[in-house]
Amino acid sequence: MAISPAVLVTVFGLLGDIISFFVCLAPIPTFVRIYKRKSSEGYQSIPYVIALFSAMLWIYYALVRKHAVLLITINTFCCVIQIFYISFYLFYAPKKEKTLTVKFVLFVDVFAFGLIFLLTYFLTHGIKRVQVLGYICMVFALCVFVAPLGIIRKVIKTKSAEFMPFGLSFFLTLSAVMWFFYGLLLKDMNVALPNVLGFIFGVLQMILYMIYKKPGTKVLEPSGIKLQDISEHVVDVVRLSSMVCSSQMRALVPQDSADMEATIDIDEKIKGDFVKIKDDK
């Protein structure tokens, strides 16, 4: 029994929603790490700002196009979670990164989206508005997939995949596959085409992760220095400092003959201990 295209569209749309849900949650380990370190230094906010902008555009596109409820549901959730990520990043970001992120959010998510909304709403109508919005969404969907290029460059430069979570790359690749077939069956190339690039970048990120993944390493004690040697040197320094201090005190404080003899006895004892330590070593 053949499955109708409408059923396949719904199936791939639901799978796309489910996997995209996990894509949205994939950065959580990154933010757990930021919370533990109490600093977002080393991470970038650009992918989350662009992802928020893209989700806002797709909601607008789905509302204008109509009959695209699955696009509305997942992108609404994406908006909420990206706002949370950006807020969390700002809380732990250094002052410079915090300022840049705020400026970027205002420019992209407020000014750019507002401009697109006003121009398409007042200057285009009907099918023309759908086409224009579709092209814009396609361009910025490509930007979402291109945004991790900065992280890819950093991974290659540092030869470390610390700042590129594997889970995010994996779910992005699966999501790209599902949304490609969803757009293809729906005959909406604005949805299908960007996900071809998304699939390519997702596979590339996973390959780089496997190449540059580094197992956890322990901080080893240098072989040439032993803890026992360090402790003995500390003892020597402490005893030597007491000898110097006692000599300085004798020079500064007048002493009678009894005190002088007691001090000499103490000094001799300290010197004897010092020579004994040296002999033992």
Side-chain angles (χ1 to χ4, degrees), residues 53-94:
F53 180 62
S54 179
M56 293 165 65
L57 282 176
W58 281 114
I59 292 173
Y60 182 31
Y61 172 76
L63 290 172
V64 173
R65 187 186 187 281
K66 299 178 181 180
H67 308 295
V69 178
L70 294 175
L71 282 176
I72 296 175
T73 53
I74 189 58
N75 283 289
T76 301
F77 174 76
C78 184
C79 279
V80 174
I81 199 70
Q82 298 304 328
I83 290 172
F84 170 77
Y85 288 153
I86 293 170
S87 302
F88 197 90
Y89 179 90
L90 287 173
F91 186 80
Y92 289 106

Side-chain angles (χ1 to χ4, degrees), residues 135-183:
Y135 293 140
I136 294 172
C137 287
M138 183 170 61
V139 169
F140 284 100
L142 292 174
C143 290
V144 171
F145 292 118
V146 172
L149 280 177
I151 299 176
I152 291 175
R153 180 175 175 271
K154 185 171 185 176
V155 168
I156 296 174
K157 185 177 180 180
T158 61
K159 301 186 183 302
S160 172
E162 179 186 0
F163 301 110
M164 187 176 67
F166 180 82
L168 180 59
S169 303
F170 176 75
F171 284 114
L172 273 174
T173 307
L174 282 182
S175 176
V177 172
M178 298 305 165
W179 287 115
F180 169 77
F181 284 109
Y182 175 82

